[in-house]
Amino acid sequence: MSHPAVSAARALVGVPFRPHGRDPETGLDCLGLVIHVAAALGVRACVPAYSLNGDQRALEAGLIAHGLAVLPAAAALPGDVLLLAVDAERRHLAIRTPGGAIHAHARLGRVVEHRLPPAWADALIAAYRFPEQISTCPGIAPGA
């Protein structure tokens, strides 16, 4: 049986890639993918102030604020969020699957699922696990 986060991410495979995309109808980027997976799990996520340009502190703080647990990168399981250092300047998010990952692939122009390329093993810098219970945006009551 597939992890609910993997199932939710697989439902988005084929959605167009769009920088800063948050709507599957018009396109998603890597954070948009994670936000929609979170919503499918009942986690109401806000878009944190973040930068994927090498300093992931604000992004990580936003993930933690929404109840995601920080894991050692090597401990990632299917359904966990992966944070990758694409290069010295850029960061990327993906959802771990049993055989690889699902992510918004800019060059292919869509959300894809594939095996983890060997280079990603070295690029994986952190992992996060979705909470078991619903979290909310800071300052917004549950169910609002």
Side-chain angles (χ1 to χ4, degrees), residues 20 48 56-57 79 84 88 90 92 123 138:
H20 304 285
Q56 72 267 6
R57 289 176 294 190
L84 301 130
R90 295 178 297 141
H92 187 57

Side-chain angles (χ1 to χ4, degrees), residues 41-86:
L41 299 176
V43 177
R44 184 173 181 170
C46 302
V47 179
Y50 75 100
S51 172
L52 292 176
N53 67 356
D55 180 3
Q56 72 267 6
R57 289 176 294 190
L59 177 61
E60 183 169 272
L63 294 170
I64 293 168
H66 288 87
L68 278 76
V70 181
L71 308 170
L77 297 173
D80 290 340
V81 177
L82 306 177
L83 177 63
L84 301 130
V86 177

